[in-house]
Amino acid sequence: MNNKVYVFDTTLRDGEQVPGCQLSTQEKVMIAIELDKLGVDIIEAGFPVSSPGDFKSVVEVSKAVKNATVCGLTRAVQNDIDVAADALKYAKRPRIHTGIGASDIHIKYKFNSNYDDILERGVAAVKYAKKYVEDVEFYAEDAGRADIEFLARLTEAVIKAGATVVNLPDTTGYLLPNQTFDRVSYLMNNVPNVDKAILSMHNHNDLGMATANTIAGIQAGARQVEVTINGIGERAGNTSLEEVAMTLKVHRDLGVYTDIDAKGLAPLSKLIAKTMRMPVQANKAIVGRNAFAHSSGIHQDGFLKHAENYEIIAPQDVGVDKSDIVLTARSGRHAIKHRLELLGFNLSRDEVTELYDRFLELADEIKEVNDRDLVKLLKLPA
Ligand code: KIV
Ligand code: ZN
């Protein structure tokens, strides 16, 4: 089996759906260019039929992107597909992403329909999109809660109709990693033409399992991941690009890789947070402010002896300048000595011990001791 995992970024579509995160065409183009530089394989630029503004953004992103495939979302509706094809006409590599609800809940309550009708509409949409572009991705919305035998039938039928990728969204973020693994394995083993298409993971993070589920899907044979920078997306968000890219790098034993240039991750994370007005939580994996910060005495001592004691990724590998030793009331003498050395003060162990009680008193009071405060402490009280 192919060991490249294709990275499909949907920051500009699923990410941009978030209230308050809407982007102008100019901002979308600027971000798309950065995503292209980062090495993503597919950029989902928008949902062209949704508004004239989104249509224009997909047109402009299609013109600007040099390497990645540019994708537009549609429902399984002919007019959506016509509009998406029009918006993508300047793309070097266009992809139409069409689909329909596949779970019993969606079939009953969204479509008031049945398996045969849904299957027919899915197949018809793929065939219709194929008239415009070679590369057609089909999404089986709410696949995470779909009846697995129906999902297998649907997958087989849309591949037969020409789908190059079948997306299996866990739209509601419901699944557990072992369930994701079992469901993707089932499809890999029971869909006779599964080798003619790529299975894709599109996980939402309602239970905080989006990345774990995405990795489980890859382990079972999926070879495309649908992700966003900073995990931005509907409700609790989507799988975060940086988490998947770095998990596959750290766990080389999984035997798969992406073409993401990891050094671009932190800078792009900052750009997205700023442009989309959505700050990143401090403890966010890979790109949070504290992802490479050490604040307890035990950790600081171990880190200063050998970084790998407490870091599985070097910060420079993801575009962060350096790790951070934060001085708080939980810090130890080793960290204080180290910080003072960086500031040009070489103190003996006894001198640090003598300083330490005053340091703790101050840290209890002001929480985080900065360099200026620390230097002030060197001057003995009168
Ligand atoms: O979460 C989802 O099901 C989606 C589809 C439209 C692909 O975003
Ligand atoms: Zn989604």
Side-chain angles (χ1 to χ4, degrees):
M1 189 192 289
N2 190 350
N3 52 7
K4 163 152 173 161
V5 172
Y6 291 86
V7 175
F8 174 116
D9 182 277
T10 184
T11 307
L12 300 180
R13 200 279 297 169
D14 226 339
E16 207 245 4
Q17 285 172 206
V18 174
C21 288
Q22 274 65 45
L23 297 167
S24 67
T25 295
Q26 212 183 0
E27 288 168 330
K28 276 198 165 190
V29 170
M30 182 260 294
I31 291 170
I33 291 170
E34 295 306 316
L35 288 167
D36 201 23
K37 284 193 210 148
L38 188 75
V40 312
D41 300 285
I42 303 106
I43 297 170
E44 187 163 51
F47 182 11
V49 83
S50 65
S51 76
D54 219 29
F55 178 88
K56 184 164 165 244
S57 296
V58 177
V59 172
E60 296 306 324
V61 168
S62 298
K63 288 182 187 165
V65 167
K66 291 197 169 64
N67 304 305
T69 293
V70 178
C71 176
L73 184 79
T74 82
R75 293 163 297 182
V77 170
Q78 288 197 353
N79 183 53
D80 282 26
I81 296 170
D82 293 335
V83 174
D86 193 21
L88 291 166
K89 64 176 178 265
Y90 298 106
K92 289 194 186 66
R93 294 180 190 81
R95 175 182 293 182
I96 291 177
H97 188 191
T98 190
I100 195 161
S103 66
D104 290 2
I105 296 178
H106 279 220
I107 293 172
K108 183 167 175 200
Y109 296 110
K110 265 181 76 173
F111 297 102
N112 188 22
S113 184
N114 57 62
Y115 287 161
D116 288 342
D117 175 59
I118 292 291
L119 193 136
E120 209 175 287
R121 285 159 71 169
V123 166
V126 171
K127 286 189 175 158
Y128 193 71
K130 279 298 249 201
K131 291 208 283 193
Y132 288 113
V133 294
E134 176 44 39
D135 193 3
V136 175
E137 173 169 341
F138 177 81
Y139 64 86
E141 196 183 4
D142 203 20
R145 294 186 297 173
D147 176 87
I148 193 69
E149 285 173 21
F150 173 63
L151 192 59
R153 264 180 67 207
L154 182 61
T155 303
E156 182 181 353
V158 295
I159 295 174
K160 195 159 164 240
T164 45
V165 178
V166 180
N167 177 14
L168 307 163
D170 183 17
T171 305
T172 54
Y174 164 77
L175 291 173
L176 296 170
N178 67 312
Q179 293 172 325
T180 304
F181 181 87
D182 290 348
R183 291 171 72 81
V184 176
S185 299
Y186 182 92
L187 298 178
M188 292 298 289
N189 294 324
N190 291 281
V191 173
N193 55 359
V194 74
D195 58 318
K196 305 276 187 300
I198 290 174
L199 297 186
S200 183
M201 293 285 94
H202 177 119
N203 295 305
H204 280 267
N205 204 30
D206 299 67
L207 294 174
M209 309 248 183
T211 299
N213 284 338
T214 296
I215 300 298
I218 293 170
Q219 288 179 295
R223 285 294 175 267
Q224 180 178 283
V225 291
E226 307 201 1
V227 290
T228 61
I229 301 288
N230 298 340
I232 197 164
E234 284 273 353
R235 305 183 309 280
N238 286 61
T239 308
S240 96
L241 185 154
E242 57 277 8
E243 292 174 13
V244 174
M246 292 316 292
T247 300
L248 299 186
K249 240 177 193 266
V250 168
H251 288 275
R252 285 184 204 289
D253 49 305
L254 292 175
V256 292
Y257 68 94
T258 71
D259 283 334
I260 294 298
D261 174 10
K263 287 195 169 53
L265 290 172
L268 192 46
S269 160
K270 285 203 181 84
L271 179 76
I272 296 290
K274 187 164 169 248
T275 320
M276 297 180 97
R277 300 160 291 274
M278 182 60 84
V280 175
Q281 72 196 55
N283 61 329
K284 166 82 180 61
I286 319 294
V287 293
R289 194 178 67 241
N290 291 347
F292 298 97
H294 306 276
S295 67
S296 82
I298 294 172
H299 285 216
Q300 290 173 337
D301 180 55
F303 169 77
L304 289 170
K305 284 175 174 151
H306 183 65
E308 279 179 52
N309 279 331
Y310 286 98
E311 282 182 355
I312 57 168
I313 297 167
Q316 296 80 6
D317 289 353
V318 295
V320 173
D321 290 346
K322 57 180 178 53
S323 306
D324 207 7
I325 298 276
V326 186
L327 296 183
T328 71
R330 307 290 158 266
S331 298
R333 293 169 181 78
H334 193 167
I336 293 163
K337 184 167 165 36
H338 172 80
R339 175 65 60 84
L340 284 167
E341 273 165 17
L342 292 179
L343 294 169
F345 300 95
N346 280 305
L347 271 67
S348 68
R349 279 169 73 103
D350 287 348
E351 284 169 325
V352 174
T353 303
E354 191 273 326
L355 180 80
Y356 192 56
D357 284 346
R358 279 184 285 135
F359 167 82
L360 286 183
E361 247 175 66
L362 180 68
D364 269 338
E365 193 186 317
I366 66 170
K367 310 299 176 220
E368 200 176 316
V369 177
N370 66 26
D371 290 351
R372 228 180 35 191
D373 298 326
L374 191 61
V375 172
K376 269 199 220 151
L377 279 180
L378 288 174
K379 298 184 186 110
L380 284 170

